[in-house]
Amino acid sequence: MTNITMVQALNLALRQEMEKDDGIILLGEDVGVDGGVFRVTEGLIEKFGEQRVLDTPLAESGIVGMSIGMAAYGLRPVCEIQFSGFSYLSFHQIESHASRLRWRSQGRFHVPMVVRTPYGGGVRALEHHSESREAFYAHMPGLKMVIPSGPRIARALLVSAIRDPDPVIFFEPKALYRAFREEVPDEEETCPLGKSRLVLEGEDLTMISYGAMMRPSLDAASELKDKDGIRVEVIDLVTISPLDDELFVQSVKKTGRAMVIHEAPRSFGPGAEIVSRLVEKAFFYLEVPISRVTGFDILIPLFSRENYYLPNVQRIVRSARQLLKT
Amino acid sequence: MTNITMVQALNLALRQEMEKDDGIILLGEDVGVDGGVFRVTEGLIEKFGEQRVLDTPLAESGIVGMSIGMAAYGLRPVCEIQFSGFSYLSFHQIESHASRLRWRSQGRFHVPMVVRTPYGGGVRALEHHSESREAFYAHMPGLKMVIPSGPRIARALLVSAIRDPDPVIFFEPKALYRAFREEVPDEEETCPLGKSRLVLEGEDLTMISYGAMMRPSLDAASELKDKDGIRVEVIDLVTISPLDDELFVQSVKKTGRAMVIHEAPRSFGPGAEIVSRLVEKAFFYLEVPISRVTGFDILIPLFSRENYYLPNVQRIVRSARQLLKT
Amino acid sequence: MPRNKINISDEIEHLSVLNEKGQLDKDLEPEISETLLLNIHRTMLLGRRFDERLLNLQRQGRIGTFAPITGQEAAQLGAVAVLRSSDWMVPSFRETAAEIWRGRTMESLILYYSGFNEGGRIPDDMNNLPVCVPVATHLLHAVGLAWALGYRKKDDVVMTFFGDGATSEGDFHEGLNFAGVYRTPVIFVCQNNQWAISVPRSKQTRSQTLAQKALAYGIPGLQVDGNDLLAVYSAAKEAVERARSGGGPTLIECVTYRLMMHTTADDPKRYRKEEEVQEWVGRDPLPRFQKYLIENKKLLSKEKIDRLETEIKEEIQAAVERAEEQKSKLKEPLEMFDHVYAELPKNLKEQKAQLAGELSGNKKEDGHD
Amino acid sequence: MPRNKINISDEIEHLSVLNEKGQLDKDLEPEISETLLLNIHRTMLLGRRFDERLLNLQRQGRIGTFAPITGQEAAQLGAVAVLRSSDWMVPSFRETAAEIWRGRTMESLILYYSGFNEGGRIPDDMNNLPVCVPVATHLLHAVGLAWALGYRKKDDVVMTFFGDGATSEGDFHEGLNFAGVYRTPVIFVCQNNQWAISVPRSKQTRSQTLAQKALAYGIPGLQVDGNDLLAVYSAAKEAVERARSGGGPTLIECVTYRLMMHTTADDPKRYRKEEEVQEWVGRDPLPRFQKYLIENKKLLSKEKIDRLETEIKEEIQAAVERAEEQKSKLKEPLEMFDHVYAELPKNLKEQKAQLAGELSGNKKEDGHD
Ligand SMILES: Cc1ncc(C[n+]2csc(CCOP(=O)(O)OP(=O)(O)O)c2C)c(N)n1
Ligand SMILES: Cc1ncc(C[n+]2csc(CCOP(=O)(O)OP(=O)(O)O)c2C)c(N)n1
Ligand SMILES: [Mg+2]
Ligand SMILES: [Mg+2]
C-alpha cells in the first residue's frame, strides 16, 4: 500500500503488467529514455529494455498503425499519443482499423491494444494541449473509451484496459496527474470496463461526471450538503463507451434530478448521450430538466482564460441550486 | 427551371459560383478529368481549366491542408474527399487548422473553404463507403456542418456554403445523388446556414431528421396520416452545427412528442444533442420520451445487410405509433 | 567542407529478365522449380478467368463492386510465390490472385463482393490480413506485424501490396520510415499500374521512379518490370532473403498496368486512351510467361493450356455455386451485431433485441408467423 | 533492359561557407549588403537575449511554456533574411528570431506565452501564418499559400520552417509531394537541431541525410551547415530565386543544434550528454558570425557589440513592460467567444450570456456590485 500520484499509479500498472506478460510493448514519442513527457513511463526502458519500450519517430499514425499490426499478431501494445490534441493524426487508424479489424476479419484477428493519451485543461499549456474531445472516440463502435478520475482507479483501469481483448482508448486527465495522492495497494486491482461507479450516495440530485471533473463535482456536492443540506449522489462514469446506463438511470429514478458535468464542449458532447439515455429510460421519473455543466462550444482559450472555460465548483453549485429550486 | 438530380444540382451550384468568382478552386481525387467518381464535378475542368479544377495526388490531408493554405490567402477552395469514410485521414487538418485559423490569428485569417464529401448508406458499396459520422464534425467549434436532403436545397446550400466566411463541411447523402429529381430554378438560390426547415406541418408529433433520412421520414409521415390519422410535423435540420434549435423546440412545444431520425450510430450520435436541447428548452411540454430511430451502435454491415441497419419507413412508423400510444 | 556532393550509398536499379518480346536474359534467369512454375502459371490463368467471371456476375447484379486485377498477375504472383505459408501477406484491395495463391477461396471472395461480412473471414491457418480499403493505411500494420515477428524471434517475413497512388499518402511515408528505423522484415510491393482511378502516375508525384522513394528511408529500392514474372520473382526473392536474414525492409516498384477498369463502378474511357491500353496489352504478363514455359522450359503446350482452361472454368463455376449456396444460408441479419466486440455490450444487446423484435414483428405483419 | 542503375538526376550536396573555426571559403562567400549583415547580427543577438529573458520570466511563473531557439539563430535568420516582406513565412513553434525579423513584436510573443489568445494576433501587414503547434501539419498550408500566389500571378514565395522530427510525419510527405507536383514556390527549411524532444536524429529515420528526402519528390534538396549564417543565406537565396522564377520548391536541411531545453517543460539532462552540448557550443553560430563581421568585414567591434547588448537589453525590458501593461487590460474573459466564427451563432450567444451572468453574479456574491 503506497500513497501515490496518478502518474505513479499508471507507472505501477504498466510495470506490474509488463512483468507478467512479455507481450506488452510500450511505444510512442519520448516514452523511452525520457520516460514520457509526463513521466508515466519513467524507468520502464531501464527495466524492460529497448525491445519493450520503443521511442518512436514523430508520427502518430505510425504509432497507432504499427500497434495495430503488433496487436493483430497477438502482442499487447500500449501506445502513447503525447497529447490527445495530436491523436487526430491517427484518427483514421483508430476508426478504420483498430476498431474494425475484429469485425472485418470476422473474429480471426482482434486488437488488444491500448492508446494512452493525456487530455483536458488545467495545466497552463499551449494550444492543442488542453482539449477534451472524448466524444469523438465514444462514437466509434468497436472501440472502448475510458477515463479514470484518481490514482487508484487509474491503476486498476489501466490493468483492465491492457487485458481487454478489444482496443481501448485511455484518456488520462492531465490535471490530475500530480494533483493528489491516493493509497494504492501493491496487489493487483482491476476495474471492469463498461461499469460506472457510485462515488457518493444521496437522495436529492444525481451528478454524473468523470475524469478531472469528478473533483469539482465532489467538492460541489459537499458544499451543497454543508450550505444547503442537499444530498447529492455522485456517479463516476469511468467508461464513456460502451456506456453503462444502469447505475445512473437507477440513481435518477431515485433522485428525479440529474446533472452531467464534463469539460468537453457542450454541443454534441458526451453529456448529450447521458441526457438521452435518461430520457429514454427514466423520463417519467424526471422532475426537472437535466442540466449540462460543460465547456462552452468554443475552442478552449489559451491558459490565461481557461479557468473561465472549465466547469468549476461554483458553476456546478449554481446549476444544482437552480435544479432544486424548480 | 429544370428537373434535375442532386448530382446535377450540385454541379450547377459549382458551375454558377465558379463563373461569378474566380477565387473558387476545386480540388480532390478524380474531380477533374473524371468529373468525380459520382460526377458532381463533371464538365468543370473542361469549362474552367486545370488551374481551377485540380486532380490531386491521393492524399486527404494534403487536399484539406492545401485548401487551408489557399483559403488563408483569400481563395475559396471547394475540396472533395471522395468518401466521408476517408475524411479521417484529414481529420487533424479539419480540427486543428480549418476550424481554428480564424481564432488562432485572432481574425487576421479566416478559412472560407468547403469540404464536400459523400456520406451514408444505401448504395451497395464497399467497406468505408457507407458510414454516417457527422457527429464527429458537429462537435468541432469553428466548423460548420451541413447536409442537404434533396436537389433543390443541395444547390442552394452549396452556394451558401461556398460564400460563407467560415469553413463548412458539406456531407452529401450519396443515396440521394440520383434517387429523385426536383425543379431547380436557373436563378440563384441560397439557403442560410444555421437554419432548419419546416417541411411538413402537423400537430401530433414532431419528426426531426436530415439528409437521406428525410425521405423515409416523410414517407412514414404520410403513412401515419393515411393509416392512423396522425398529423406529423417534419423538420429538416439542414445545418447540423451550429444547431438551430428554435424551430424544433417550437414545434415540440406544440406537439409534445418528438422523434429524431438519423442513420448514424445511436450512441453519442447527433440525435443525442437534439434530445438534450429539447430537454433543456421544452422539457415541460414533453408528453412522452423523445425517441431516437437511428443506426445501431455497430459498424454498418456490408451491403447485403445494410437495409437492416438503416432506419426505414417501417421502423419509423412503428416508433411513432409507440409514441402516440403512450 | 564547402559545396560537396553527398554520396548516397544506395542505388536504384531497374530489373528486367524476360522482356516484352519474350526475350530472356539467361544470366538473370532465376532458378524456379518446375512445379512452382506451373503452379504460378495456373494461378495467373485462374486469376485472369476469375476476374472475367466476377465482372460477368457484377454486370448481372449478382455481386457488388470489385477491383479487377487483369494485367497485374505477374506483379502479384511473382512476389507472393517467394513466401512460405508461415510468412504474412498484407493486401490492399486489388490482390485477388495473390490472395488465392495464399489460400483464399474464390467463394469467400464472391461472398465478400456480394456484401456479406462473412466473406471477409480469414481462416485460422492463413497468415493474411483482410482486404484493406483505405489506401496505404495497411502498410503500418505490415510493419507492426513484422516487428512482432522479430520480437518473437520468428524468421517469417511480411509482404504488403499497394498501388502507385498509395505512395502519396502520409501512411506510406510513416510505414516505410518506421520499417527503416526498426529494420523490420517487410517487403513493400508497389504495383505501379500507372493509374490511381483517373489520375496518371505522372500527376501523382514528380519523382522519376517510385522505387527511389526508398532513398528517403535509407532502405533498398528496386524497380522491376512488373509484367515480367521472372523479374518480379527475382526481386522478391532477394528482398525476402534479405528480410529473413535480418537485413530489413525493401521497396519494390513493379511497373505494370491495369488493363481493365479501376473498379466496376469506373469507366476508364473517360480518362485514358485506348491506344495506351493496347500498348500495354502488348506487354501482357500472361502470354509472355506462357511463351517462356512453352519455348524455354518446354513445360507447357497449347493443348495443355486448353485443358487447364477447361479445368479452371469448372473450378470457378463450382466456386460460384458454392457461394450461392452459402449466401442463401446467410440471410440472418442479427449476425451484424457479431464481432464488434469480444462480448456484446449492453447497448448492443438491447439493440439486437430490438431488431429481433422488429423481425419477428415483420414476420407477423407479413403473416408468416 | 536487364539490371540497370537508374540515374536520378538530382544530387544532394552539403554547403558550408564559414566553418566552425570561423574560416571563410572566399569562393562561396555570398554578397550581402552591410546594412543587411548588421541587421541580421542584431536580430541574432536579440533572439538570443530574448530567449534568456523569456526563460527567466518563465522560471518566475510570469509566462507559460515556450520553446527556446538558442543555437538556431543562423538557421532561421539566414533563411528569412532572403525574403521580401511581401513573401510569406509559415512558422512552426520555434522561430522566435525569424518571427521577430518578419515584424512580430516581442510583446505579442510574451502575451502569447502568457496564455492570451490576443498574442496570436497577426497584424494585417505581416505575411506570416500564426505559430503552428501540431508538428509538420503547416507544411501543407505553405503549399496552398504558394499555390494561391502562383494562381494570382504574384512572384512572392513562401518559406516554411520545421524540425528534424517533423520529417517523420505523414504531412511532411504530403506537403513536399504536393509542392513537387504543382511546382509551387515554397522553400522548406528543416531546422535539423538533432533532437525531437528526447529522440535523436538517428532514431528518427535511417536515411543518411534529411536533405535526400527531396529525391522522393523530384525536387532539389540541399544540406547546409545551419550554424553558418553565410551558408544558410546562400542556400536560401538560391532556393528563393528558383522559386520566384517558377522553378518550384526546394528542401533545405540546416544542420544545427538546440542548445537549450526542448521547451521549458523539458529537462534535456534526461536524454543527452553535456559533452555533446559542449561540442555544439563550439559551433555556436553567433560568435562565429560576429568573428566574421569583426575580422572579415570590419563592421563590428567588441565595443559596438557591448553597446548593442545594452540597447537590446533595454528594448527587451520595454517590451516586457508593454506586455505587462497589455495583459492587465486583457482580463475580460468574454472575449473567448470571439473569432470562433465570423458571427456568433445562437448557441454561443446563449453561452456568452450565461458566462456574463455568472461573472456579474460573482461580482454580486463578492460584494463588488
Ligand atoms: C484513403 C483513401 N482515399 C481514397 C480512396 C478511394 N480510392 C480507392 S482506390 C483509389 C485509387 C488507388 O490508386 P492506387 O494506389 O494506384 O491503386 P490501384 O487502384 O491502381 O490498384 C482511390 C482514390 C480510398 N480507398 N482510400
Ligand atoms: C503532431 C504532433 N505530435 C506531437 C507533438 C509534441 N511535440 C512538440 S514538439 C515535438 C518534437 C519536435 O521535434 P522537431 O520536429 O525536431 O522540432 P524541434 O522541437 O526540435 O524544433 C513533439 C513530439 C506535437 N506538437 N505535434
Ligand atoms: Mg494504381
Ligand atoms: Mg528537432
Side-chain angles (χ1 to χ4, degrees), chain B residues 111-123:
Chain B
V111 186
M113 69 185 268
V114 178
V115 181
R116 289 182 39 246
T117 189
Y119 88 99
V123 300

Side-chain angles (χ1 to χ4, degrees), chain C residues 288-303:
Chain C
R288 198 192 304 185
F289 187 53
Q290 288 180 328
K291 184 163 175 258
Y292 169 74
L293 294 181
I294 297 170
E295 294 177 12
N296 299 68
K297 304 298 291 188
K298 319 283 183 220
L299 287 170
L300 265 188
S301 64
K302 258 312 259 133
E303 299 70 50

Side-chain angles (χ1 to χ4, degrees), chain B residues 29 60 82 86, chain C residues 93-94 133 135 163-166 193 195-196 262:
Chain B
E29 296 154 15
E60 286 73 16
Q82 205 160 78
F86 307 129
Chain C
F93 48 80
R94 196 188 299 286
V133 173
V135 168
D164 44 314
N193 64 5
W195 292 91
H262 168 71

Side-chain angles (χ1 to χ4, degrees), chain C residues 19-30:
Chain C
N19 76 10
E20 56 185 275
K21 300 201 184 86
Q23 292 158 336
L24 179 71
D25 185 330
K26 279 259 171 208
D27 292 343
L28 294 173
E29 187 183 7

Side-chain angles (χ1 to χ4, degrees), chain B:
Chain B
M1 199 66 142
T2 35
N3 201 30
I4 54 180
T5 63
M6 187 186 284
V7 164
Q8 292 168 318
L10 293 165
N11 186 277
L12 179 68
L14 292 172
R15 182 183 307 258
Q16 290 188 335
E17 286 301 289
M18 288 178 81
E19 275 167 3
K20 282 180 210 143
D21 180 354
D22 73 350
I24 300 172
I25 307 295
L26 308 191
L27 64 161
E29 296 154 15
D30 309 293
V31 299
V33 178
D34 200 36
V37 295
F38 287 105
R39 308 290 174 252
V40 171
T41 53
E42 183 156 30
L44 299 178
I45 195 168
E46 288 80 1
K47 185 166 169 59
F48 297 102
E50 288 200 356
Q51 274 295 299
R52 296 196 56 197
V53 184
L54 280 64
D55 272 320
T56 64
L58 212 177
E60 286 73 16
S61 180
I63 292 165
V64 174
M66 183 163 167
S67 298
I68 292 167
M70 291 172 163
Y73 190 74
L75 303 182
R76 293 191 172 267
V78 179
C79 67
E80 177 178 305
I81 298 294
Q82 205 160 78
F83 288 88
S84 68
F86 307 129
S87 65
Y88 313 136
L89 288 90
S90 57
F91 203 75
H92 60 289
Q93 287 290 349
I94 300 173
E95 195 283 334
S96 306
H97 297 300
S99 57
R100 286 172 181 258
L101 194 54
R102 173 189 291 282
W103 174 83
R104 187 181 297 145
S105 69
Q106 293 282 292
R108 162 69 192 280
F109 299 105
H110 65 290
V111 186
M113 69 185 268
V114 178
V115 181
R116 289 182 39 246
T117 189
Y119 88 99
V123 300
R124 293 173 55 87
L126 293 167
E127 198 193 341
H128 308 285
H129 290 66
S130 303
E131 10 283 304
S132 178
R133 301 281 182 93
E134 54 278 13
F136 291 152
Y137 297 105
H139 191 51
M140 281 189 191
L143 183 72
K144 297 181 179 177
M145 141 57 28
V146 302
I147 310 185
S149 59
R152 184 163 175 183
I153 193 165
R155 188 273 200 121
L157 190 63
L158 184 52
V159 168
S160 294
I162 291 173
R163 296 182 188 174
D164 199 90
D166 290 309
V168 179
I169 187 158
F170 191 98
F171 267 35
E172 298 172 1
K174 69 177 89 71
L176 302 187
Y177 268 148
R178 295 168 196 282
F180 61 97
R181 291 168 181 270
E182 273 178 356
E183 294 292 327
V184 175
D186 298 325
E187 318 76 69
E188 174 175 314
E189 272 195 331
T190 58
C191 172
L193 270 61
K195 282 270 164 246
S196 54
R197 286 195 319 159
L198 183 66
V199 178
L200 186 70
E201 272 191 81
E203 311 292 320
D204 303 324
L205 164 68
T206 305
M207 286 186 186
I208 305 159
S209 188
Y210 54 89
M213 288 297 112
M214 284 303 292
R215 304 285 293 177
S217 300
L218 285 165
D219 289 348
S222 93
E223 186 173 328
L224 286 161
K225 190 180 165 208
D226 295 347
K227 295 204 184 151
D228 308 56
I230 298 172
R231 294 149 313 159
V232 180
E233 182 141 309
V234 182
I235 288 169
D236 181 356
L237 287 179
V238 188
T239 297
I240 310 303
S241 171
L243 184 64
D244 173 15
D245 56 25
E246 238 167 85
L247 189 63
F248 69 71
V249 163
Q250 213 180 319
S251 168
V252 175
K253 282 184 178 173
K254 175 177 70 178
T255 62
R257 291 176 159 79
M259 288 176 64
V260 189
I261 301 112
H262 62 60
E263 51 180 300
R266 181 173 315 157
S267 289
F268 304 91
E273 181 60 28
I274 294 150
V275 170
S276 300
R277 297 283 178 102
L278 286 170
V279 166
E280 281 157 6
K281 303 186 170 185
F283 182 76
F284 294 104
Y285 298 83
L286 286 171
E287 290 175 31
V288 292
I290 304 148
S291 125
R292 294 188 286 175
V293 180
T294 67
F296 300 113
D297 290 339
I298 59 174
L299 300 156
I300 181 169
L302 296 189
F303 70 78
S304 78
R305 291 191 185 92
E306 69 174 330
N307 286 337
Y308 292 103
Y309 171 92
L310 295 169
N312 54 23
V313 176
Q314 220 176 9
R315 201 173 281 168
I316 300 169
V317 165
R318 183 177 294 125
S319 178
R321 285 188 182 134
Q322 233 144 34
L323 281 193
L324 277 138
K325 244 187 265 166
T326 25

